[in-house]
Amino acid sequence: MNNVSQTAPSRPHTDRPQIPVRRPGLEYPVDRARRWLHGRVTTLVAHALSPLFPAGERFFIKSVMAFADEVKDPQLRHEMRQFAAQEAVHTHEHQKYDETVDHHYPTAFLEAQTAEILDQLWERVSGTRRGRRFALAMTVALEHFTALLGEQSLEHIDIYDGVDPQFAELWTWHAAEEIEHKAVAIDVYRHIGGGELERMIVQATATGGILFAMFMNIAVCMARDGIVFQPRAWAEVLRFLFIDPGPLTKAVPHYLDAYKPGFHPWDHDNRDLIEKWEARYPRVAEARRQQRSAQ
Ligand SMILES: [Fe+2]
Ligand SMILES: [Fe+2]
């Protein structure tokens, strides 16, 4: 127990990818949004996830930047700003996606519900340093989850073959950036003295929360289609999530790493997936090069 309750050193693995701010400027075709991913039921998983991002990522930004005054390390301060900027662009792009999908499913409603819950939570915890540290532990937990979803998305990048490029660019760009900035929240958490036991407890509860929210959103979208009580439709959703391609099953080994004291996301080096994505989606990769040359 002593090992678990101690803090781990912040910012190991200094050889990491950059965290550039890309602006893909996507516009989504309304008429193709309903089922852009090879079928209605699998597309519902994307529709259910997207409304969680705008409020979720605003919460992540607030919880990380709440400790800006306590972080003196210039590299970590730089990464915090880049993290916040990347997440702000994700929020913006997913709001556009949700507005487009809202012609078919109640994504604006789902987005507002998530915002209400997370805004209330932030109001309750942000008044004390301990509360803000708890919020940061939540962000650490959910960043681990989203980085693993991003990894799975790029591991199975072939699922985007033949889909409208705007949708493929949104989901693969977001996946790549979740990998790029996967360590920022945990580095800040350790820098400010966050403990391992608290991090692990919050990891477990936040994982339960995000899975519950995801399945609730899937059910709401299925209800709109009148298929929420159809076992075959649920079997298709579960097959997609757990079997083929099965991102939730395949992510389990790396997910469990978070329960090892001293765990760090870059213990698992998956930078090759970012390079694979850049080669496959050069338009967004070009935005990255323009930004680099402008610096
Ligand atoms: Fe994000
Ligand atoms: Fe993130």
Side-chain angles (χ1 to χ4, degrees), residues 160-181:
Y160 299 103
D161 282 352
V163 309
D164 283 281
Q166 297 90 336
F167 297 115
E169 284 185 345
L170 170 72
W171 290 91
T172 56
W173 156 74
H174 194 170
E177 294 198 347
E178 288 305 318
I179 295 172
E180 285 171 343
H181 72 225

Side-chain angles (χ1 to χ4, degrees), residues 179-290:
I179 295 172
E180 285 171 343
H181 72 225
K182 66 179 179 175
V184 176
I186 197 167
D187 286 348
V188 175
Y189 180 75
R190 287 184 172 147
H191 194 86
I192 60 125
E196 291 293 82
L197 182 60
E198 179 180 17
R199 180 182 65 74
M200 291 179 203
I201 292 169
V202 174
Q203 181 72 59
T205 49
T207 303
I210 188 79
L211 288 174
F212 177 76
M214 199 175 98
F215 278 100
M216 284 299 289
N217 285 6
I218 290 173
V220 168
C221 292
M222 288 171 81
R224 174 59 63 94
D225 279 341
I227 57 172
V228 71
F229 296 115
Q230 284 184 12
R232 270 183 61 183
W234 277 107
E236 204 177 322
V237 169
L238 296 176
R239 181 181 158 76
F240 178 75
L241 287 173
F242 291 101
I243 299 172
D244 183 19
L248 294 184
T249 308
K250 288 177 179 145
V252 166
H254 287 308
Y255 168 77
L256 292 175
D257 289 346
Y259 297 96
K260 294 175 188 162
F263 151 78
H264 191 273
W266 284 115
D267 293 341
H268 169 50
D269 188 348
N270 54 0
R271 282 175 290 182
D272 59 307
L273 289 173
I274 298 169
E275 288 161 17
K276 188 168 137 188
W277 163 73
E278 283 178 322
R280 188 155 167 152
Y281 292 94
R283 196 191 70 79
V284 183
E286 185 64 27
R288 180 182 191 180
R289 278 197 290 277
Q290 282 170 0

Side-chain angles (χ1 to χ4, degrees), residues 57 60 83 87 143 146 178 181:
E57 297 188 308
F60 299 169
F83 167 86
E87 295 290 37
E143 280 289 292
T146 53
E178 288 305 318
H181 72 225

